[in-house]
Short mmCIF file of all heavy atoms in Angstrom, two decimals:
data_model
loop_
_atom_site.label_atom_id
_atom_site.label_comp_id
_atom_site.label_asym_id
_atom_site.label_seq_id
_atom_site.Cartn_x
_atom_site.Cartn_y
_atom_site.Cartn_z
N GLY A 266 -13.38 21.15 4.30
CA GLY A 266 -14.14 21.20 5.56
C GLY A 266 -13.19 21.30 6.74
O GLY A 266 -13.55 20.98 7.88
N SER A 268 -12.21 23.70 8.43
CA SER A 268 -12.55 24.64 9.52
C SER A 268 -13.52 24.00 10.50
O SER A 268 -13.86 24.59 11.52
CB SER A 268 -13.21 25.91 8.95
OG SER A 268 -12.35 26.54 8.05
N GLY A 269 -14.03 22.83 10.16
CA GLY A 269 -15.05 22.17 10.99
C GLY A 269 -14.44 21.42 12.16
O GLY A 269 -13.21 21.41 12.38
N PHE A 270 -15.30 20.79 12.91
CA PHE A 270 -14.93 20.05 14.13
C PHE A 270 -13.90 18.96 13.82
O PHE A 270 -12.74 19.01 14.24
CB PHE A 270 -16.23 19.51 14.72
CG PHE A 270 -16.12 18.48 15.80
CD1 PHE A 270 -15.17 18.59 16.82
CD2 PHE A 270 -16.99 17.39 15.83
CE1 PHE A 270 -15.09 17.63 17.82
CE2 PHE A 270 -16.93 16.45 16.82
CZ PHE A 270 -15.97 16.56 17.82
N LEU A 271 -14.31 17.98 13.02
CA LEU A 271 -13.39 16.90 12.69
C LEU A 271 -12.25 17.41 11.81
O LEU A 271 -11.08 17.06 12.02
CB LEU A 271 -14.16 15.77 11.96
CG LEU A 271 -13.28 14.69 11.34
CD1 LEU A 271 -12.50 13.92 12.41
CD2 LEU A 271 -14.13 13.73 10.50
N PHE A 289 -9.71 23.96 2.63
CA PHE A 289 -10.73 24.50 1.72
C PHE A 289 -12.05 24.46 2.49
O PHE A 289 -12.45 23.39 2.97
CB PHE A 289 -10.81 23.62 0.47
CG PHE A 289 -11.82 24.07 -0.55
CD1 PHE A 289 -11.45 24.89 -1.60
CD2 PHE A 289 -13.14 23.67 -0.45
CE1 PHE A 289 -12.39 25.30 -2.56
CE2 PHE A 289 -14.08 24.07 -1.39
CZ PHE A 289 -13.70 24.88 -2.45
N ASP A 290 -12.72 25.59 2.60
CA ASP A 290 -13.98 25.61 3.38
C ASP A 290 -14.75 26.86 2.98
O ASP A 290 -14.19 27.79 2.41
CB ASP A 290 -13.64 25.63 4.90
CG ASP A 290 -14.78 25.08 5.75
OD1 ASP A 290 -15.89 25.61 5.63
OD2 ASP A 290 -14.55 24.14 6.53
N ILE A 291 -16.03 26.88 3.39
CA ILE A 291 -16.80 28.11 3.13
C ILE A 291 -16.57 29.15 4.22
O ILE A 291 -16.89 30.32 4.04
CB ILE A 291 -18.34 27.83 2.99
CG1 ILE A 291 -18.80 26.85 4.07
CG2 ILE A 291 -18.70 27.37 1.61
CD1 ILE A 291 -20.30 26.60 4.07
N VAL A 292 -16.05 28.70 5.37
CA VAL A 292 -15.71 29.67 6.42
C VAL A 292 -14.28 29.43 6.88
O VAL A 292 -13.78 28.31 6.85
CB VAL A 292 -16.62 29.55 7.66
CG1 VAL A 292 -18.02 30.04 7.38
CG2 VAL A 292 -16.65 28.14 8.23
N ARG A 294 -11.85 29.62 10.16
CA ARG A 294 -11.87 29.77 11.62
C ARG A 294 -10.46 29.78 12.21
O ARG A 294 -10.30 30.09 13.36
CB ARG A 294 -12.67 28.63 12.28
CG ARG A 294 -14.14 28.65 11.95
CD ARG A 294 -14.99 27.85 12.94
NE ARG A 294 -16.37 27.88 12.54
CZ ARG A 294 -16.93 26.99 11.72
NH1 ARG A 294 -16.21 26.01 11.22
NH2 ARG A 294 -18.21 27.09 11.39
N GLY A 303 -14.11 28.57 -0.50
CA GLY A 303 -14.89 28.09 -1.64
C GLY A 303 -15.93 27.08 -1.22
O GLY A 303 -15.96 26.63 -0.07
N ASP A 304 -16.78 26.77 -2.20
CA ASP A 304 -17.89 25.85 -1.97
C ASP A 304 -17.62 24.60 -2.82
O ASP A 304 -17.35 24.72 -4.02
CB ASP A 304 -19.17 26.55 -2.43
CG ASP A 304 -20.41 25.73 -2.18
OD1 ASP A 304 -20.35 24.49 -2.27
OD2 ASP A 304 -21.46 26.34 -1.90
N ILE A 305 -17.73 23.41 -2.24
CA ILE A 305 -17.37 22.21 -3.02
C ILE A 305 -18.31 21.97 -4.19
O ILE A 305 -17.97 21.25 -5.10
CB ILE A 305 -17.28 20.92 -2.17
CG1 ILE A 305 -18.53 20.69 -1.34
CG2 ILE A 305 -16.02 20.86 -1.36
CD1 ILE A 305 -18.58 19.29 -0.71
N THR A 326 -13.94 16.27 4.45
CA THR A 326 -14.78 16.10 5.64
C THR A 326 -16.01 17.01 5.60
O THR A 326 -16.76 17.06 6.57
CB THR A 326 -13.98 16.45 6.93
OG1 THR A 326 -13.70 17.86 6.92
CG2 THR A 326 -12.67 15.69 7.03
N ALA A 327 -16.19 17.76 4.51
CA ALA A 327 -17.24 18.79 4.50
C ALA A 327 -18.64 18.18 4.40
O ALA A 327 -18.86 17.19 3.71
CB ALA A 327 -17.02 19.75 3.34
N SER A 328 -19.56 18.79 5.10
CA SER A 328 -20.97 18.44 5.00
C SER A 328 -21.76 19.47 5.79
O SER A 328 -21.26 19.98 6.79
CB SER A 328 -21.22 17.06 5.61
OG SER A 328 -22.62 16.84 5.79
N PRO A 329 -22.99 19.76 5.38
CA PRO A 329 -23.85 20.54 6.28
C PRO A 329 -24.14 19.69 7.53
O PRO A 329 -24.11 18.46 7.45
CB PRO A 329 -25.14 20.76 5.48
CG PRO A 329 -24.78 20.44 4.06
CD PRO A 329 -23.66 19.45 4.11
N LEU A 330 -24.41 20.35 8.65
CA LEU A 330 -24.68 19.61 9.89
C LEU A 330 -25.93 18.75 9.75
O LEU A 330 -26.85 19.07 9.00
CB LEU A 330 -24.90 20.59 11.04
CG LEU A 330 -23.66 21.25 11.63
CD1 LEU A 330 -24.06 22.30 12.67
CD2 LEU A 330 -22.72 20.22 12.25
N VAL A 342 -24.64 19.78 -1.57
CA VAL A 342 -23.28 19.76 -1.02
C VAL A 342 -22.70 18.34 -1.00
O VAL A 342 -21.60 18.09 -1.51
CB VAL A 342 -23.25 20.36 0.42
CG1 VAL A 342 -21.85 20.27 1.01
CG2 VAL A 342 -23.72 21.80 0.39
N THR A 365 -14.97 11.38 4.35
CA THR A 365 -15.63 11.11 5.63
C THR A 365 -17.10 10.81 5.36
O THR A 365 -17.89 11.71 5.08
CB THR A 365 -15.55 12.33 6.58
OG1 THR A 365 -14.24 12.86 6.53
CG2 THR A 365 -15.91 11.91 7.99
N SER A 366 -17.45 9.55 5.44
CA SER A 366 -18.84 9.17 5.30
C SER A 366 -19.47 9.17 6.70
O SER A 366 -19.13 10.02 7.54
CB SER A 366 -18.88 7.77 4.66
OG SER A 366 -20.19 7.30 4.53
N SER A 367 -20.33 8.22 7.02
CA SER A 367 -20.93 8.17 8.36
C SER A 367 -21.45 6.76 8.61
O SER A 367 -21.93 6.10 7.69
CB SER A 367 -22.08 9.16 8.44
OG SER A 367 -22.84 8.92 9.59
N TYR A 394 -30.24 13.75 5.19
CA TYR A 394 -28.79 13.84 5.47
C TYR A 394 -28.12 12.50 5.18
O TYR A 394 -27.16 12.41 4.43
CB TYR A 394 -28.58 14.26 6.94
CG TYR A 394 -27.17 14.06 7.45
CD1 TYR A 394 -26.19 15.04 7.27
CD2 TYR A 394 -26.82 12.91 8.16
CE1 TYR A 394 -24.90 14.86 7.76
CE2 TYR A 394 -25.53 12.73 8.65
CZ TYR A 394 -24.58 13.70 8.44
OH TYR A 394 -23.30 13.52 8.93
N LYS A 398 -25.42 11.30 2.38
CA LYS A 398 -24.11 10.75 2.76
C LYS A 398 -23.91 9.38 2.08
O LYS A 398 -22.82 9.05 1.63
CB LYS A 398 -24.00 10.59 4.28
CG LYS A 398 -23.97 11.86 5.10
CD LYS A 398 -22.76 12.72 4.90
CE LYS A 398 -21.48 12.17 5.44
NZ LYS A 398 -20.34 13.11 5.26
N PRO A 421 -17.44 7.12 10.54
CA PRO A 421 -17.36 7.28 11.99
C PRO A 421 -18.74 7.14 12.64
O PRO A 421 -19.76 7.48 12.04
CB PRO A 421 -16.84 8.69 12.18
CG PRO A 421 -16.66 9.28 10.83
CD PRO A 421 -17.23 8.37 9.82
N GLY A 423 -20.86 8.48 15.85
CA GLY A 423 -21.01 9.41 16.99
C GLY A 423 -19.73 10.08 17.45
O GLY A 423 -19.18 9.72 18.48
N ILE A 424 -19.29 11.09 16.69
CA ILE A 424 -18.02 11.75 17.04
C ILE A 424 -18.25 12.73 18.19
O ILE A 424 -19.22 13.48 18.19
CB ILE A 424 -17.42 12.50 15.84
CG1 ILE A 424 -17.41 11.61 14.59
CG2 ILE A 424 -16.01 12.99 16.15
CD1 ILE A 424 -16.96 12.34 13.33
N ARG A 430 -19.66 20.91 17.91
CA ARG A 430 -20.69 21.96 17.88
C ARG A 430 -22.10 21.40 17.98
O ARG A 430 -23.07 22.12 17.86
CB ARG A 430 -20.56 22.77 16.58
CG ARG A 430 -19.24 23.51 16.48
CD ARG A 430 -19.24 24.49 15.34
NE ARG A 430 -19.21 23.82 14.04
CZ ARG A 430 -19.82 24.27 12.96
NH1 ARG A 430 -20.57 25.35 13.02
NH2 ARG A 430 -19.74 23.62 11.81
N GLN A 431 -22.22 20.07 18.15
CA GLN A 431 -23.55 19.49 18.11
C GLN A 431 -23.92 18.76 19.40
O GLN A 431 -24.89 19.07 20.06
CB GLN A 431 -23.64 18.50 16.95
CG GLN A 431 -24.00 19.15 15.65
CD GLN A 431 -24.36 18.09 14.61
OE1 GLN A 431 -23.51 17.31 14.22
NE2 GLN A 431 -25.59 18.09 14.18
P1 NAD B 182 -18.74 20.43 10.94
O1 NAD B 182 -19.98 21.14 10.56
O2 NAD B 182 -18.07 20.86 12.21
O3 NAD B 182 -17.67 20.57 9.77
C1 NAD B 182 -18.03 20.56 8.43
C2 NAD B 182 -17.26 21.65 7.71
O4 NAD B 182 -17.65 21.61 6.32
C3 NAD B 182 -17.59 23.06 8.21
O5 NAD B 182 -16.39 23.78 8.49
C4 NAD B 182 -18.34 23.69 7.05
O6 NAD B 182 -18.12 25.09 6.93
C5 NAD B 182 -17.77 22.93 5.86
N1 NAD B 182 -18.68 22.96 4.72
C6 NAD B 182 -20.01 22.78 4.74
N2 NAD B 182 -20.50 22.91 3.49
C7 NAD B 182 -19.46 23.19 2.68
C8 NAD B 182 -19.32 23.45 1.29
N3 NAD B 182 -20.39 23.47 0.50
N4 NAD B 182 -18.10 23.67 0.78
C9 NAD B 182 -17.00 23.67 1.59
N5 NAD B 182 -17.07 23.45 2.93
C10 NAD B 182 -18.27 23.20 3.47
O7 NAD B 182 -19.07 18.87 10.97
P2 NAD B 182 -18.26 17.66 11.64
O8 NAD B 182 -19.06 17.20 12.81
O9 NAD B 182 -16.84 18.02 11.79
O10 NAD B 182 -18.41 16.55 10.53
C11 NAD B 182 -17.35 16.28 9.62
C12 NAD B 182 -17.75 15.13 8.73
O11 NAD B 182 -17.97 13.96 9.52
C13 NAD B 182 -19.03 15.36 7.94
O12 NAD B 182 -18.85 14.85 6.66
C14 NAD B 182 -20.05 14.54 8.69
O13 NAD B 182 -21.07 14.10 7.83
C15 NAD B 182 -19.22 13.39 9.20
N6 NAD B 182 -19.72 12.72 10.40
C16 NAD B 182 -19.89 13.44 11.55
C17 NAD B 182 -20.35 12.79 12.70
C18 NAD B 182 -20.50 13.55 14.01
O14 NAD B 182 -20.95 12.94 14.98
N7 NAD B 182 -20.15 14.83 14.08
C19 NAD B 182 -20.63 11.43 12.66
C20 NAD B 182 -20.46 10.73 11.47
C21 NAD B 182 -19.98 11.39 10.35
#
Side-chain angles (χ1 to χ4, degrees):
S268 301
F270 167 42
L271 170 64
F289 180 94
D290 203 305
I291 43 176
V292 289
R294 294 200 182 89
D304 184 326
I305 52 169
T326 68
S328 167
L330 284 175
V342 177
T365 317
S366 177
S367 168
Y394 166 86
K398 293 294 291 182
I424 312 174
R430 296 191 289 145
Q431 274 192 295

